[in-house]
């Protein structure tokens, strides 16, 4: 590159987007402010003290007292790697409930151990039948049942209790991918007896992407101590990582210090709001969104209302409407990003995320209006104002707290 070319590279000015995607979600300005704080070293006693805060907050959000609870320096997929690689040894058998792209990812990772992976499947938009899990594992030595709590690729949620029972019948651990659900959907690691649970920083926790909080219970710790061979991944081996996050503070790798600042503040926001209030907010905003979409004549992809994931709403793209054109117009004209489908539902559904800081009444009303305008421009006949009217009606049914971030 010439000096002239280098000079031409201007200041970084990202657009001011409203992310209504299945992640990353928008970040509270408090989180951005925390990340603007000066960098310190990862062995600095001030920083190691701050790490304790993050672990305390994480235990509170996961609802557990598990010793091994910390954010892995990786995106949510790194959480899957760690959750799968630590309990499994080569040749072990496990069951993975597969009903979409992220649960499929868990199965693929387990196969690379290499472990024998039994996939218990359901089509996109449906839950996996826990009875099928029991049938598939009967008479076998199953190390764990892997479950994606909220399958983001199709907008489906699983009832954890049913899979806990199935895992108990098989004498197996329960591994739960809570990337799309932690801090947005009811989840209780201790109360629901989840053995390994992990999440991602950029979804309902509403911190930037790049961290995967994980927690494992004493039963798993025991299993890890009894391993015959080392964990196949050096980076995702939880035992040395915990020597850094635990009392010893032994160097393992350099963590993303700035992201940990952001995570600390995002978790403070969660605890300040309260888990119950936060779950309620997510549910309420999705109900208003759904009322609006249906009033506009759109159809939800997940037909059984009980199976719908509160944080991500999948809606069928109406016949004759072009996926890419609508999403592009939403972005160019309204600065709003939503997601399309993955794999078999690519071009068939839109996925609208209402997670963390993005889950707000004002965002729901703005999005419905923007979608209406866009669909009208693309030739879809929408009764003007119908979506907003239905959402407003929905909001009027219950007393609602002030806007997120409103100063008291
Ligand atoms: C987003 C997501 C992941 C992957 O997270 P990345 O941060 O993109 O690696 C895994 N599982 C679920 C359920 C997700 O929603």
């Amino acid at each position: 590159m010439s000096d002239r070319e280098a000079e031409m590279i201007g200041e970084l000015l990202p657009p001011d987007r409203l992310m209504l995607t299945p992640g990353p979600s928008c970040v509270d300005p408090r989180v951005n402010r925390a990340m603007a704080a000066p960098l310190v070293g990862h062995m600095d006693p001030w920083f190691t003290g701050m790490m304790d805060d993050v672990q305390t907050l994480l235990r509170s959000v996961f609802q557990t007292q598990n010793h091994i609870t910390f954010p892995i320096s990786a995106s949510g997929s790194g959480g899957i790697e760690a959750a799968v690689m630590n309990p499994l040894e080569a040749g072990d058998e496990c069951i993975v409930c597969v009903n979409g792209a992220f649960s499929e990812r868990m199965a693929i990772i387990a196969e690379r151990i290499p472990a024998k992976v039994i996939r218990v499947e359901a089509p996109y938009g449906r839950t996996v039948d826990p009875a099928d899990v029991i049938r598939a594992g009967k008479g076998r030595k199953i190390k764990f049942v892997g479950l994606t709590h909220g399958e983001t690729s199709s907008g489906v949620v699983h009832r954890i209790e049913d899979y806990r029972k199935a895992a108990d019948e098989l004498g197996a651990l329960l591994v739960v991918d809570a990337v799309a659900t932690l801090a947005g959907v009811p989840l209780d690691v201790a109360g629901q007896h989840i053995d390994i649970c992990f999440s991602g920083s950029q979804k309902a926790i509403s911190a930037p992407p790049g961290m995967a909080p994980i927690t494992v219970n004493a039963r798993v710790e025991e299993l890890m101590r009894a391993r015959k061979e080392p964990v196949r991944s050096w980076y995702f081996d939880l035992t040395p990582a915990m020597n850094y996050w635990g009392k010893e503070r032994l160097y393992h790798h350099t963590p993303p210090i700035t992201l940990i600042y952001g995570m600390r503040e995002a978790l403070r926001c969660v605890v300040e709001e309260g888990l119950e209030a936060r779950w309620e907010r997510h549910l309420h905003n999705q109900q208003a969104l759904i009322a609006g979409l249906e009033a506009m004549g759109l159809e939800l992809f997940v037909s059984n209302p009980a199976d719908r994931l509160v944080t991500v709403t999948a809606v069928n793209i109406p016949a004759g409407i072009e996926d890419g054109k609508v999403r592009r117009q939403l972005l160019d004209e309204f600065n709003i990003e939503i997601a399309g489908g993955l794999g078999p539902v690519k071009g068939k559904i839109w996925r609208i995320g209402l997670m963390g800081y993005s889950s707000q009444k004002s965002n729901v009303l703005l999005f419905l209006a923007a979608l209406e305008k866009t669909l009208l421009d693309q030739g879809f006949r929408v009764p003007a104002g119908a979506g907003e009217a239905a959402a407003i009606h929905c909001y009027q049914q219950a007393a609602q707290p002030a806007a997120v971030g409103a100063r008291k």
Side-chain angles (χ1 to χ4, degrees):
M1 194 202 295
S2 69
D3 287 354
R4 177 84 197 107
E5 277 175 318
E7 270 170 30
M8 295 282 290
I9 296 175
E11 184 188 351
L12 185 71
L13 290 169
D16 190 10
R17 303 285 200 218
L18 174 58
M19 279 97 77
L20 301 180
T21 59
S25 41
C26 294
V27 162
D28 191 308
R30 281 171 59 175
V31 173
N32 282 325
R33 280 198 297 274
M35 292 195 303
L39 195 64
V40 298
H42 61 289
M43 303 304 276
D44 188 309
W46 179 84
F47 183 69
T48 51
M50 204 210 79
M51 289 162 65
D52 288 338
D53 299 345
V54 172
Q55 288 179 289
T56 302
L57 290 163
L58 267 183
R59 289 191 183 101
S60 160
V61 173
F62 270 126
Q63 302 200 72
T64 179
Q65 293 301 318
N66 287 342
H67 168 64
I68 300 188
T69 305
F70 70 98
I72 296 174
S73 313
S75 78
S77 303
I80 311 180
E81 295 264 1
V84 163
M85 298 193 95
N86 281 272
L88 278 186
E89 298 195 52
D92 280 351
E93 280 190 277
C94 67
I95 288 178
V96 179
C97 303
V98 176
N99 67 333
F102 293 103
S103 40
E104 172 69 20
R105 188 171 295 181
M106 188 189 280
I108 292 168
I109 289 170
E111 275 162 355
R112 290 200 185 178
I113 298 283
K116 178 164 171 31
V117 180
I118 302 169
R119 285 176 165 75
V120 179
E121 293 180 293
Y124 273 64
R126 304 279 287 277
T127 57
V128 170
D129 187 344
D132 286 347
V133 172
I134 297 171
R135 267 194 291 278
K138 264 267 136 57
R140 293 169 178 276
K141 202 160 174 268
I142 302 295
K143 199 63 157 292
F144 70 68
V145 171
L147 180 75
T148 301
H149 185 203
E151 180 42 87
T152 324
S153 62
S154 58
V156 168
V157 71
H158 282 117
R159 255 177 55 90
I160 288 172
E161 291 79 2
D162 300 340
Y163 305 86
R164 175 69 271 177
K165 272 195 205 133
D168 283 342
E169 285 215 21
L170 301 173
L173 300 170
L174 181 66
V175 174
V176 174
D177 173 342
V179 175
T181 49
L182 184 70
V185 175
L187 175 81
D188 178 350
V189 167
Q192 292 170 315
H193 306 284
I194 302 170
D195 297 294
I196 303 181
C197 190
F198 60 92
S199 190
S201 48
Q202 80 276 30
K203 309 233 173 165
I205 294 173
S206 255
M211 304 225 76
I214 192 165
T215 186
V216 316
N217 66 13
R219 184 179 171 192
V220 179
E221 270 192 73
E222 188 58 42
L223 215 123
M224 279 157 50
R225 270 195 293 273
R227 284 183 67 98
K228 290 191 272 307
E229 57 171 38
V231 175
R232 295 256 161 142
S233 161
W234 180 89
Y235 194 73
F236 291 110
D237 187 344
L238 293 176
T239 308
M242 260 318 277
N243 289 339
Y244 174 61
W245 279 92
K247 281 203 182 60
E248 297 81 5
R249 300 290 183 209
L250 292 176
Y251 166 75
H252 179 250
H253 67 273
T254 312
I257 294 158
T258 305
L259 287 183
I260 296 173
Y261 292 175
M263 174 72 101
R264 182 181 182 278
E265 192 58 25
L267 291 170
R268 261 167 48 84
C269 292
V270 175
V271 169
E272 211 171 271
E273 181 176 11
L275 281 173
E276 305 260 341
R278 198 171 173 95
W279 298 333
E280 189 68 23
R281 166 164 66 86
H282 280 79
L283 177 65
H284 216 81
N285 284 326
Q286 189 203 32
Q287 284 173 342
L289 173 70
I290 289 176
L293 292 171
E294 288 183 335
M296 287 164 65
L298 297 174
E299 202 178 70
L300 293 203
F301 175 63
V302 180
S303 47
N304 181 1
D307 295 342
R308 288 176 190 154
L309 174 59
V310 166
T311 45
V312 179
T313 304
V315 58
N316 293 329
I317 299 175
I321 295 295
E322 248 182 82
D323 175 18
K325 273 197 181 155
V326 168
R327 285 193 288 129
R328 188 73 217 194
Q329 191 180 339
L330 283 171
L331 199 63
D332 290 344
E333 201 176 331
F334 297 97
N335 255 332
I336 294 175
E337 185 189 3
I338 62 167
L342 300 172
V345 290
K346 190 171 161 56
K348 298 197 173 122
I349 61 171
W350 288 312
R351 293 176 303 141
I352 304 144
L354 290 175
M355 294 181 174
Y357 195 69
S358 287
S359 171
Q360 302 201 35
K361 275 197 267 188
S362 48
N363 292 342
V364 170
L365 295 173
L366 171 65
F367 170 70
L368 288 168
L371 183 65
E372 245 169 49
K373 159 74 165 62
T374 305
L375 287 177
L376 282 168
D377 289 350
Q378 302 291 333
F380 182 70
R381 285 163 56 99
V382 189
E388 299 93 291
I392 290 165
H393 181 72
C394 189
Y395 283 134
Q396 280 186 312
Q397 302 302 301
Q400 275 288 289
V404 180
R407 299 287 161 250
K408 281 155 206 134

